[in-house]
Amino acid sequence: MINVKENEILKKLGQRLKSARLELNDPQKEFAFRIGVSIPTLYKMEQGNPSISIGTWVKALSMLGKLDDFEKLIAPRESLFERYEVLEKTKTRQRVRRQK
């Protein structure tokens, strides 16, 4: 069971999916075919229905060129200490080369 906030987020996601599809001038029938679902399933996605599988969302986002955005959802936290250590390891002194 999902709560009110989760339901609102799903509805917003569905609205964004519909907007992106319409920006591409892609009819429901064609877009549904390209992501491998029926028109009623695509309609449910666009309405924010929570029963749609994550795999279907991934396919839809891939077709829209938004898969990189999806990957950022639960990205690992970047440690500033680890980044500093990597930078320190890659630092090397460079000498000025004299032209002959």
Side-chain angles (χ1 to χ4, degrees):
M1 190 72 175
I2 64 171
N3 64 34
V4 174
K5 182 167 178 118
E6 293 165 344
N7 195 38
E8 287 175 15
I9 290 170
L10 284 171
K11 285 185 180 196
K12 287 178 184 177
L13 184 61
Q15 290 168 352
R16 289 184 193 138
L17 174 67
K18 184 176 182 177
S19 294
R21 176 182 61 79
L22 291 174
E23 282 179 25
L24 294 174
N25 229 6
D26 214 351
Q28 274 187 329
K29 183 177 181 179
E30 290 178 25
F31 191 74
F33 176 78
R34 290 189 315 147
I35 64 173
V37 299
S38 65
I39 295 170
T41 299
L42 177 58
Y43 178 78
K44 287 178 184 178
M45 289 175 76
E46 293 179 349
Q47 297 302 308
N49 188 308
S51 69
I52 305 302
S53 75
I54 194 82
T56 303
W57 276 104
V58 168
K59 185 65 176 172
L61 293 172
S62 178
M63 287 291 149
L64 295 170
K66 304 279 186 186
L67 200 52
D68 289 340
D69 295 340
F70 186 77
E71 189 174 336
K72 294 174 190 173
L73 284 177
I74 308 179
R77 291 184 185 251
E78 181 180 37
S79 166
L80 294 178
F81 295 111
E82 288 175 11
R83 187 177 353 160
Y84 176 77
E85 288 175 4
V86 168
L87 287 174
E88 286 299 309
K89 286 179 183 177
T90 59
K91 274 187 182 176
T92 57
R93 283 185 87 179
Q94 295 182 358
R95 301 196 184 270
V96 176
R97 293 184 183 191
R98 294 184 187 187
Q99 293 182 354
K100 294 181 183 178

